[in-house]
């Protein structure tokens, strides 16, 4: 509790908050506001794929290093998508001027199959490369979630609903924050999928023909 001398200082003696702190709060508010509009632009562009901010954000702090994921085809049942924010560990060297936050498109797929999956992360001069599902058996996943900043591909949805409140979603097994724009569908198919991701989780993730190696090029 403050003493009487602490609270009787004149208005002229009241210190101004540091400009950097005010600017940081402004950036955070702007990013939170931007969450409301992100999925709408994805629908117009015919893009989609994978995440649940509620599942990811509370489980781990992201490294802040993006990774690329590609697949010749993704098929999923039970799909949901909405905007979110991922948080880096406090003091992460990767935070730059973001304050340790990354604005992401969050989506969820209850059951998914992926053909010719490739994942790569740039380590600076070399890439850690993972491939799977190039043979007869495809990559399969349940409760698959991914946080993405860029998505592209040729998408098709069955029984899509656009404009839901994210807290009311029922089809993808995940819900977002109340008041956030979202979409959901019974099924999703994406050909020539390409993503820039910051996090992925799955209840079960099966990767037949898995190969991990270092490479001069990524996916």
């Amino acid at each position: 509790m403050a003493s009487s001398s602490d609270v009787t200082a004149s208005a002229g003696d009241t210190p101004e908050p540091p400009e950097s702190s005010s600017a940081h709060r402004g950036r955070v508010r702007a990013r939170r506001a931007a969450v409301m509009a992100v999925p709408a632009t994805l629908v117009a562009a015919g893009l989609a794929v994978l995440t649940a901010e509620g599942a990811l954000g509370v489980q781990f702090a992201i490294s802040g290093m993006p990774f690329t994921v590609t697949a010749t085809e993704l098929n999923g049942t039970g799909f949901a998508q909405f905007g979110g924010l991922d948080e880096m560990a406090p003091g992460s060297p990767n935070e730059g001027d973001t304050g340790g936050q990354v604005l992401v498109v969050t989506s969820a797929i209850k059951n998914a199959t992926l053909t010719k999956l490739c994942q790569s992360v740039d380590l600076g001069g070399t890439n850690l490369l993972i491939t799977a599902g190039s043979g007869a058996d495809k990559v399969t996943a349940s409760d698959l979630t991914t946080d993405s900043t860029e998505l592209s591909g040729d998408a098709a949805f069955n029984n899509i609903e656009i404009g839901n409140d994210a807290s009311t979603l029922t089809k993808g097994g995940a819900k977002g924050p109340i008041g956030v724009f979202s979409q959901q569908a019974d099924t999703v198919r994406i050909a020539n999928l390409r993503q820039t991701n910051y996090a992925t989780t799955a209840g079960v993730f099966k990767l037949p023909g898995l190969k991990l190696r270092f490479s001069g090029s990524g996916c």
Side-chain angles (χ1 to χ4, degrees), residues 52 165 173:
D165 187 292

Side-chain angles (χ1 to χ4, degrees), residues 47-48 150-154 190-195:
L47 312 179
E150 295 184 21
L151 310 169
S152 64
D154 302 310
I190 303 176
N192 303 314
L193 169 68
R194 187 174 188 88
Q195 300 173 275

Side-chain angles (χ1 to χ4, degrees), residues 82-217:
F82 49 90
L85 285 169
D86 278 354
E87 301 274 354
M88 300 179 202
S92 171
N94 299 319
E95 69 177 30
D97 62 354
T98 68
Q101 294 182 321
V102 179
L103 179 65
V104 294
V105 176
T106 64
S107 315
I109 296 180
K110 285 295 294 180
N111 294 285
T113 61
L114 299 101
T115 304
K116 294 184 179 179
L117 175 70
C118 178
Q119 176 179 302
S120 64
V121 60
D122 187 349
L123 301 177
T126 189
N127 292 269
L128 179 61
L129 188 68
I130 296 173
T131 57
S134 297
D137 297 326
K138 299 179 181 179
V139 172
T140 60
S142 62
D143 297 318
L144 178 64
T145 68
T146 304
D147 282 10
S148 309
T149 54
E150 295 184 21
L151 310 169
S152 64
D154 302 310
F157 304 89
N158 283 332
N159 297 324
I160 190 169
E161 300 171 4
I162 302 171
N164 311 63
D165 187 292
S167 67
T168 67
L169 295 172
T170 59
K171 296 184 177 182
K175 296 181 179 181
I178 190 169
V180 171
F181 185 100
S182 69
Q183 61 181 9
Q184 63 178 357
D186 288 346
T187 67
V188 59
R189 177 185 179 274
I190 303 176
N192 303 314
L193 169 68
R194 187 174 188 88
Q195 300 173 275
T196 299
N197 295 338
Y198 277 84
T200 297
T201 67
V204 176
F205 207 2
K206 296 182 178 180
L207 298 126
L210 173 67
K211 294 181 180 179
L212 185 153
R213 61 193 183 277
F214 292 102
S215 172
S217 59

Side-chain angles (χ1 to χ4, degrees), residues 62-78:
I62 64 170
S63 70
M65 296 179 65
F67 54 96
T68 299
V69 173
T70 65
T72 57
E73 185 176 357
L74 176 147
N75 286 280
T77 58

